[in-house]
Amino acid sequence: MSQIGKQIVDFKVQSFNNNEFQTVTKEDVLGKWSIFFFYPADFTFVCPTELEDLANLYEEFKATGTEVYSVSTDTHFVHKAWHDTSETIKKINYPMLADPTGVLSRGFDVMIEEDGLAERGTFIVNPEGEIVSYEVVAGNVGRNAEELLRKLKALQFVAENPAEVCPAKWKEGNETLKPSIDLVGLI
């Protein structure tokens, strides 16, 4: 079943962020755009490359009014240990959510039950707490933060301009389309 329009689950989890442990709840997420970036596990191979890619664009995500949350079923203690030992993970300034009970992984329907790990799932959530975009990728393929940022900006644009739509490969500042009967068959 589609996750589009689905309200995110109530949750209260621990995070590691800026050398501190913090609690993050659904209430903290509401009122702003959010990205939930699930990955299988800390101390792995593809995961740090993706998290670094996000870290490199984090300021651009923040400039859109969006918070990025990486999520794995590891504890916040493991997130800290990974941060303290990996030069790649030391670059991360966004909250790393700990989901050892699987409340988020199950709530976003990305839990691999037999492994106790999350699929490689990416979710863009609007300020009302609704999923407006998601993608789940096989565990052996990394994702692209630039494309995620492009999709986020397109979703924000159409949220602010509901009479317009963004065509394929749309980038901020490019032309949009205004759906009408006059466009049918002309594109």
Side-chain angles (χ1 to χ4, degrees), residues 8-9 63 77 87 101-102 139-140 142 147 171 177:
I8 62 171
V9 297
F77 301 113
E87 291 303 316
T101 66
N140 53 0
E147 173 59 9
K171 290 186 179 178
L177 300 171

Side-chain angles (χ1 to χ4, degrees), residues 32-47:
K32 64 182 177 228
W33 288 84
S34 302
I35 293 174
F36 287 83
F37 197 83
F38 290 86
Y39 63 97
D42 293 358
F43 293 99
T44 56
F45 315 103
V46 175
C47 301

Side-chain angles (χ1 to χ4, degrees), residues 118-185:
E119 297 276 6
R120 219 173 276 292
T122 310
F123 297 81
I124 300 175
V125 177
N126 69 16
E128 291 76 39
E130 299 168 339
I131 297 169
V132 292
S133 174
Y134 68 98
E135 172 184 44
V136 180
V137 181
N140 53 0
V141 175
R143 294 159 283 180
N144 182 324
E146 287 179 1
E147 173 59 9
L148 179 58
L149 182 61
R150 185 199 71 80
K151 283 193 276 189
L152 169 68
K153 288 180 178 182
L155 287 161
Q156 290 177 328
F157 180 88
V158 297
E160 293 172 15
N161 302 278
E164 298 179 52
V165 296
C166 295
K169 296 187 179 183
W170 178 89
K171 290 186 179 178
E172 190 174 29
N174 287 2
E175 266 189 63
T176 59
L177 300 171
K178 293 185 181 178
S180 73
I181 197 163
D182 298 334
L183 286 182
V184 175

Side-chain angles (χ1 to χ4, degrees), residues 69-132:
Y69 300 98
S70 64
V71 187
S72 77
T73 56
D74 298 288
T75 68
H76 53 298
F77 301 113
V78 176
H79 290 335
K80 181 187 183 322
W82 196 24
H83 177 272
D84 291 349
T85 58
S86 169
E87 291 303 316
T88 300
I89 301 306
K90 283 180 184 170
K91 298 175 186 175
I92 294 174
N93 291 317
Y94 50 80
M96 299 178 75
L97 302 185
D99 190 30
T101 66
V103 66
L104 286 169
S105 298
R106 286 184 186 93
F108 282 85
D109 200 24
V110 293
M111 178 64 95
I112 307 168
E113 291 294 341
E114 60 272 13
D115 296 332
L117 302 174
E119 297 276 6
R120 219 173 276 292
T122 310
F123 297 81
I124 300 175
V125 177
N126 69 16
E128 291 76 39
E130 299 168 339
I131 297 169
V132 292

Side-chain angles (χ1 to χ4, degrees), residues 7 68 118:
Q7 186 70 212
V68 173

